Amino acid sequence: MTAPASTTPSVSRGIDPRGPRFAAGIVAALFLVVIALALLGLDSPGLAIAALVLSTYNALVFLWGAVAGVQRHPYGLLFKRVVRPRLTPPTELEDPTPPTFAQGVGLVVTVVGIVLFFVAGPIALVVAGAAAFLAAFLNSVFAYCLGCQIYLLLARAGILGGRGAAA
């Protein structure tokens, strides 16, 4: 389930909830490739490096989304310009803050995998890639955003200054 639409004035800057789901589908596919390359890289250093490069690319895209916001995320822009015009308008808009926070969660998971690659080898990319794949898959297929749920829990606990306490 995606983060609930906010009833605060920030809805005017809301996003189509199908955008993050579209982006999550791309991310899930890329992490499947990372996992495959990393598994094959257990016996082939060249494929391990390819998995590392693709993981680094994914980390940079997560960084972009976490810093610039999901409205300016590369896959979000692709959705907005290519996919959304072919769809009916969304029935409701979503607060962009939880999905943007989720990009930061994806960044942390991916960076941990990259750092551990240098300690434990390609298996670290398999583990981190599997975690990122699972989160992206749940979002893209079932509209359940793990990073958004973490954001809402932290906001309700008062750890983040978000609007999650009202949600």
Side-chain angles (χ1 to χ4, degrees):
M1 175 185 308
T2 57
S6 175
T7 57
T8 62
S10 69
V11 168
S12 63
R13 66 180 190 106
I15 59 169
D16 185 334
R18 299 170 295 185
R21 289 185 69 189
F22 172 80
I26 295 171
V27 169
L30 290 173
F31 274 109
L32 276 180
V33 174
V34 167
I35 292 165
L37 289 171
L39 285 171
L40 294 170
L42 293 171
D43 295 324
S44 172
L47 293 176
I49 296 301
L52 178 63
V53 168
L54 186 53
S55 288
T56 302
Y57 167 79
N58 286 337
L60 291 172
V61 172
F62 279 137
L63 178 64
W64 187 335
V67 172
V70 291
Q71 306 93 316
R72 290 175 218 68
H73 187 280
Y75 306 144
L77 293 173
L78 178 65
F79 173 81
K80 184 178 178 181
R81 293 194 179 115
V82 177
V83 178
R84 186 172 177 184
R86 293 167 170 71
L87 303 174
T88 59
T91 56
E92 63 181 27
L93 297 179
E94 173 178 80
D95 181 351
T97 308
T100 299
F101 178 85
Q103 292 291 305
V105 173
L107 174 63
V108 169
V109 169
T110 306
V111 168
V112 166
I114 291 168
V115 169
L116 290 178
F117 170 85
F118 294 102
V119 176
I123 198 68
L125 296 179
V126 173
V127 174
F133 167 78
L134 177 63
F137 178 80
L138 287 172
N139 193 0
S140 67
V141 175
F142 298 109
Y144 189 82
C145 175
L146 287 173
C148 299
Q149 295 305 315
I150 293 169
Y151 173 84
L152 293 173
L153 286 171
L154 293 173
R156 284 185 186 126
I159 296 168
L160 295 177
R163 291 174 284 279

